[in-house]
Amino acid sequence: MDVYDITIIGGGPTGLFGSFYAGLRGLKTKVIDVLPELGGQLTALYPEKYVYDVAGHPKILAKDLAKNLATQAAIFKPALCLGEKVSNIAQVEEGGETLWKVQSDRDEHLSKTVLLALGAGACVPKRLDMEVPTDWEDKFIFYAVKSKERFRDKDVLIIGGGDSAVDWANEFSVLANKVTLIHRRDQFRAVQSSVEEMKRNKVNIKTFYELKDIKVENGDVKEAIIFDNRTGKEETLKVDAILINIGFVINLDFLREWGLSMDKNAIVVNEKMETNLPGVYSAGDIASHMAKLKLIATGAAEAATAVNFAVTFINPQAKLYPGHSSNLNLSI
């Protein structure tokens, strides 16, 4: 079995930049991800949503950013294992060397170091507290937007008060026929500038409202019944599509079982991005430290830091900092 210098668990933006940087540092690299394609949430949840907080890009579609990151990572030809769920990591002795064995539902992988770049972790969208047949999902009930065109000229109901709900309300205000957003409170969790933009746009905002029922005829949604949770007053809306953005259910019990120190739903790391397990690092949204800022840009920086210290973990005589990439002759 091949032994890799570093195995990166997670093929989202942090993991992909970590893979590129590991190649830059000359490490034999493997990337494992449970999804069938690279990009993490960029491709799985909001591929057609613009991202504004990436250095050098005033704005970029999430799917394009994912494509660029995958192209960048491919420069150094990392081994890719997609659609593969990691179930455990454990230290083993092989040939007189202490290694990490990464166990998945498909295979075993041996590695000198491991970088955990799991994003928000094993998360699934929260469902409504009502019975929704599975064949309605991705037909007229949506938890993520894979194609904006499916909502063009439609009457769209959006449920939620966070960034995703508000951002899609703004996007659809110029795409859909009519957009109604309901939120169970009058306070939004979204960025204030986005909320103010939504109030200026053609969005029917109804706070203190929740969904009570969905009327379907001949396999298509026709109406949604909503109600004021203060008075119980009901209202019927004509709808063609319902987008539910009420958050995610996160299960990170498996990380605790691996022996990792956790801070609520994140892995505790130090300034070197080291976990409490020797040779195991973490970066991106899943990592927790005193100066944490959850951005794609800072996730990339954390991945580079983790890789640099992984290099010296493997070879204590190696340089910690390799110099600038502009000094290297890369074929792109």
Side-chain angles (χ1 to χ4, degrees):
M1 184 185 302
D2 286 346
V3 176
Y4 285 79
D5 293 318
I6 188 166
T7 294
I8 300 172
I9 303 176
T14 296
L16 287 173
F17 189 78
S19 175
F20 162 75
Y21 201 80
L24 200 67
R25 290 304 317 259
L27 300 185
K28 184 178 180 182
T29 305
K30 177 178 283 186
V31 178
I32 305 174
D33 197 277
V34 68
L35 297 174
E37 58 183 334
L38 294 170
Q41 292 188 15
L42 295 178
T43 51
L45 295 183
Y46 48 90
E48 296 202 351
K49 187 175 175 181
Y50 280 107
V51 179
Y52 298 92
D53 54 3
V54 177
H57 294 284
K59 72 175 184 177
I60 183 170
L61 281 174
K63 64 181 180 181
D64 293 337
L65 177 59
K67 182 179 178 180
N68 290 350
L69 285 162
T71 300
Q72 184 182 42
I75 293 170
F76 297 105
K77 298 179 173 59
L80 299 178
C81 301
L82 301 179
E84 195 164 327
K85 184 178 181 179
V86 173
S87 57
N88 192 35
I89 63 171
Q91 279 191 310
V92 295
E93 295 292 329
E94 292 281 343
E97 189 176 13
T98 301
L99 301 172
W100 283 99
K101 181 174 75 172
V102 178
Q103 180 69 54
S104 78
D105 56 356
R106 291 189 182 183
D107 208 346
E108 293 180 348
H109 312 270
L110 292 178
S111 190
K112 297 176 183 178
T113 62
V114 175
L115 172 58
L116 302 173
L118 301 170
C123 59
V124 294
K126 286 183 180 178
R127 263 52 178 175
L128 294 172
D129 292 331
M130 60 185 298
E131 201 70 33
V132 176
T134 55
D135 60 352
W136 290 6
E137 296 184 9
D138 293 326
K139 184 178 182 182
F140 51 80
I141 299 286
F142 301 89
Y143 294 93
V145 177
K146 300 293 184 68
S147 171
K148 289 190 294 187
E149 285 301 312
R150 295 190 68 170
F151 299 85
R152 183 177 291 279
D153 299 326
K154 304 290 187 182
D155 291 337
V156 182
L157 173 63
I158 300 176
I159 304 172
D163 287 309
S164 292
V166 172
D167 287 349
W168 285 124
N170 287 326
E171 289 272 353
F172 292 158
S173 68
V174 295
L175 180 75
N177 178 56
K178 182 178 181 180
V179 179
T180 300
L181 180 140
I182 63 173
H183 184 38
R184 62 183 180 176
R185 301 186 294 127
D186 63 347
Q187 298 296 316
F188 292 91
R189 301 184 309 277
V191 174
Q192 187 60 33
S193 59
S194 299
V195 175
E196 294 302 321
E197 180 185 354
M198 178 176 66
K199 291 177 179 178
R200 293 191 299 268
N201 286 335
K202 292 173 58 179
V203 178
N204 181 25
I205 304 168
K206 301 185 76 66
T207 54
F208 295 110
Y209 273 81
E210 299 180 45
L211 181 66
K212 182 175 183 178
D213 200 6
I214 301 169
K215 298 299 183 183
V216 177
E217 294 180 11
N218 300 321
D220 289 318
V221 63
K222 298 297 181 181
E223 296 175 335
I225 299 174
I226 61 176
F227 70 97
D228 188 320
N229 57 29
R230 299 165 299 179
T231 65
K233 178 184 176 182
E234 295 183 5
E235 186 174 334
T236 300
L237 303 175
K238 177 183 176 296
V239 295
D240 301 305
I242 300 173
L243 175 60
I244 303 167
N245 287 153
I246 56 176
F248 294 88
V249 177
I250 301 174
N251 183 358
L252 297 177
D253 290 343
F254 67 98
L255 293 177
R256 294 181 177 87
E257 293 172 359
W258 295 357
L260 290 157
S261 293
M262 304 290 293
D263 175 17
K264 297 180 182 177
N265 286 325
I267 301 168
V268 176
V269 296
N270 61 17
E271 70 278 3
K272 300 178 181 179
M273 308 313 296
E274 295 172 322
T275 70
N276 61 304
L277 302 179
V280 178
Y281 303 81
S282 184
D285 285 357
I286 197 66
S288 174
H289 55 79
M290 289 293 291
K292 187 66 186 181
L293 180 61
K294 290 188 177 183
L295 295 173
I296 292 174
T298 53
E302 290 175 354
T305 299
V307 167
N308 271 339
F309 283 102
V311 169
T312 58
F313 180 88
I314 296 167
N315 177 14
Q317 306 306 314
K319 288 183 178 181
L320 178 59
Y321 301 110
H324 301 290
S325 62
S326 55
N327 295 332
L328 303 176
N329 183 21
L330 300 180
S331 178
I332 300 178

